[in-house]
Amino acid sequence: MPADLQEKTDRYERMLADALDEAETRPPADTPLGTAAAECREMAESYLDDGRHFRANDDPVNALAAYSYGYGWLDAGVRMGLFAVPEETELFTV
C-alpha cells in the first residue's frame, strides 16, 4: 500500500519540529564542535522553513524532501554527539 503524501509530509514536519525542540547542544558555543552543532541546527531549521514554504506553495513533494533533509542534519548531529536528547525519545536513531 503506497504511503499517503499528505500524511507523510505532516508527520515529517512534526517530527523535525519536535526533534529541534528536544535536541540540546552539548559542546560550548565557542569551540569548533560548538560551531559544528550550531551549523547542523541552522541547516535543520532552514530546511524546516523551506519545507513550510514549499507546503504553502502547494508543493508537498519538495516539502517532504526538505523535512527529510533537515531531520537528517539533526539526526547526524545527535549521532556525532553534538546534541543531547532525552533517552525515552523515539525521534532519533541513537
Side-chain angles (χ1 to χ4, degrees):
M1 179 171 161
D4 176 76
L5 180 59
Q6 181 68 38
E7 183 278 327
K8 194 168 190 175
T9 304
D10 291 343
R11 183 166 28 103
Y12 274 64
E13 179 182 11
R14 278 191 315 274
M15 192 169 71
L16 177 53
D18 291 347
L20 280 163
D21 287 342
E22 288 193 17
E24 294 181 21
T25 302
R26 280 186 166 168
D30 61 345
T31 65
L33 288 177
T35 299
E39 289 173 356
C40 283
R41 178 174 291 280
E42 181 181 358
M43 291 300 293
E45 290 170 345
S46 293
Y47 276 117
L48 179 61
D49 291 342
D50 289 350
R52 289 175 173 165
H53 170 79
F54 287 130
R55 287 190 89 173
N57 287 289
D58 199 29
D59 188 353
V61 171
N62 281 318
L64 179 57
Y67 298 144
S68 298
Y69 281 122
Y71 185 80
W73 273 93
L74 199 59
D75 194 47
V78 169
R79 292 183 62 87
M80 289 186 290
L82 299 176
F83 301 102
V85 295
E87 288 184 26
E88 66 277 357
T89 188
E90 294 186 15
L91 288 170
F92 299 98
T93 60
V94 177

